[in-house]
Amino acid sequence: MDRPLDEGRAGEGDPPAVDDVEMTEEATVHDDTELERTIGLVGGLAIGVGTMIGAGIFVFPGLAAGEAGPAAAVSFAIGGVVALLVALPASELATAMPRSGGGYYFISRGLGSVYGAIVGISLWLGLVFASAFYLVGFGEYAGAALAEVGISLPGSASIALGVAFGVILTVLSATGTENAAKLQNLIVGFLLLILSVFLTYGSLDALGVFGAESVPEAFAPQGYFPVLTTAALVFTSYLGFAQIATVAGEIKSPSRNLPLAMVGSVLIVTVFYVVTIFVATSAVGSEALEGFGETAMVEVGREFFGTGGAVAILLAGLLATFSSANASILSSSRAIYALSKDALLPAKASEINLRYGTPHIALALAGGPIVVLTATGQVELLAEVASFLHLVMYGLICIALIVLRRNPPDWYDPDYRMPGYPLLPAVGAVSSFGLIAFMGRVSIAVGGIIMVMAVVWHRYYAREVRLKGVL
């Protein structure tokens, strides 16, 4: 592998180095440092499911039902299909390159260091924006939960709660991946239990087994075109599956667990989303659901179980946003770690804490901006910029798979090969890039500026790094 030769640009006398890597079932070893494999299949599923079951299932139902009616369930199903179109190539690439860094690693080896720098920095900051979005949501749910029991907070207190938990989660991740993974498993398990009970009762009620008879309404009152536009809107709910690949270097038996975790988490979450829309629209109707806005699911819980149901949904919302933020902070730091190991960021960023065995500098570079962005409280902008940066990566993942299949390096021998090549990855790329056109102009501008800055950084700092075709 070539190394950056222009030391004046690559660190002023302290140029980064691209080192040798050894992978075992127990750890990923970079020269004298070792990243232990401590995350199993359940942990991988928890990262994917925990990240995806967040704002989507608790914020989108009211808005989606307002645009597409009960057919919003189809919109979520379409989003799930598009996510699978990306999860399949990502699974193949992850079994060929089970390293920390995920989509960044695939694209840098398949398309080269320029694309790697764009996607790596976009992935890092995309996860930062996503984490801030989740933490703002967490603060709002916390404030609403306290209000439900008679404790009112001033307007800015909910944002302060989000900032405080951002600091706590960053510190927790720095004390060990295993601790963070265990917490993730616990939260996601409890969250799925609450949602399963709620959705099972709601489904039986909607099917007429018990409860009041639901008011029939047109399946797609606005026609079927809004079903497609709503699918683009709610796709942000499926950002989590690719984050599993960003901790690939820490997953046990990656050839088996990586594809199972990515595909499995998309399928699980798609079922939850579709059933949630079915239950919500059957309980109160699309028009009323739209009127409840972002807290529509809380009102659906109140419809079924009274105040206790509303509080339970608020608690589930707290757990969902908390677990999503936890998974995103962990994955963002691993993206920075991978960039640094490839000499696209200074070597200091990939230092491992000798006491806890975690990349503490990378965690600080993730956690610091997350806390700052959380303090802005700009929910919609944070979510859309995160989606923009992820969709660019998803499209390039599909293209990278096509390039690697057509001209495979000697080391390209994945244990899992996706079906439907080259049609399915091509459709996945077109679908991912196409959804960007439906976003707001400000979000597109912010995402575009980040990508341009990534190119400028690459030209200034690491233009001589060669990564294409090198494992």
Side-chain angles (χ1 to χ4, degrees), residues 24-27 37-41 94-95 98 247-261 415:
T24 69
E25 288 296 315
E26 292 75 28
R37 294 190 184 278
T38 57
I39 303 174
L41 175 59
T95 60
V247 293
E250 297 161 77
I251 288 186
K252 301 174 184 176
S253 303
S255 60
R256 170 184 177 273
N257 289 336
L258 274 172
L260 285 176
D415 293 333

Side-chain angles (χ1 to χ4, degrees), residues 142-430:
L146 291 173
E148 197 70 32
V149 295
I151 302 174
S152 297
L153 298 177
S156 59
S158 61
I159 295 177
L161 285 172
V163 170
F165 272 84
V167 174
I168 291 171
L169 286 176
T170 301
V171 172
L172 179 65
S173 296
T175 60
T177 302
E178 191 170 2
N179 291 335
K182 287 180 178 177
L183 176 64
Q184 187 77 3
N185 295 347
L186 182 64
I187 290 175
V188 172
F190 188 52
L191 175 63
L192 292 179
L193 176 63
I194 291 178
L195 285 173
S196 297
V197 172
F198 171 75
L199 294 179
T200 299
Y201 181 93
S203 297
L204 294 174
D205 181 85
L207 294 172
V209 177
F210 51 78
E213 183 177 354
S214 59
V215 179
E217 61 176 318
F219 181 66
Q222 309 298 328
Y224 285 95
F225 181 74
V227 175
L228 298 176
T229 59
T230 303
L233 171 69
V234 303
F235 186 76
T236 55
S237 307
Y238 293 94
L239 295 185
F241 67 90
Q243 293 190 32
I244 300 169
T246 66
V247 293
E250 297 161 77
I251 288 186
K252 301 174 184 176
S253 303
S255 60
R256 170 184 177 273
N257 289 336
L258 274 172
L260 285 176
M262 276 195 269
V263 174
S265 61
V266 171
L267 292 175
I268 291 171
V269 169
T270 299
V271 170
F272 270 93
Y273 283 144
V274 170
V275 175
T276 296
I277 294 298
F278 171 69
V279 168
T281 54
S282 299
V284 298
S286 298
E287 185 175 347
L289 205 61
E290 180 183 17
F292 292 139
E294 296 179 354
T295 59
M297 290 307 297
V298 176
E299 300 309 318
V300 174
R302 198 188 308 278
E303 174 73 15
F304 286 138
F305 303 110
T307 301
V311 172
I313 293 300
L314 283 169
L315 176 61
L318 284 171
L319 291 173
T321 51
F322 184 90
S323 64
S324 295
N326 184 41
S328 297
I329 291 172
L330 182 67
S331 298
S332 179
S333 68
R334 297 321 188 258
I336 298 169
Y337 181 88
L339 281 166
S340 176
K341 280 299 178 185
D342 280 343
L344 296 178
L345 287 178
K348 187 79 173 176
S350 57
E351 281 188 358
I352 299 295
N353 184 284
L354 296 179
R355 180 176 181 183
Y356 298 110
T358 55
H360 59 292
I361 301 296
L363 279 163
L365 291 173
I370 286 170
V371 170
V372 172
L373 288 174
T374 302
T376 69
Q378 298 296 315
V379 177
E380 187 174 349
L381 180 63
L382 293 171
E384 284 203 341
V385 173
S387 298
F388 176 99
L389 296 173
H390 278 81
L391 282 168
V392 170
M393 180 181 72
Y394 292 167
L396 290 176
I397 283 175
C398 297
I399 293 174
L401 180 132
I402 294 173
V403 170
L404 286 170
R405 283 274 197 111
R406 289 173 63 90
N407 298 291
D410 293 338
W411 50 261
Y412 191 74
D413 185 24
D415 293 333
Y416 167 80
R417 287 183 179 268
M418 69 165 293
Y421 169 86
L423 178 61
L424 289 184
V427 173
V430 171

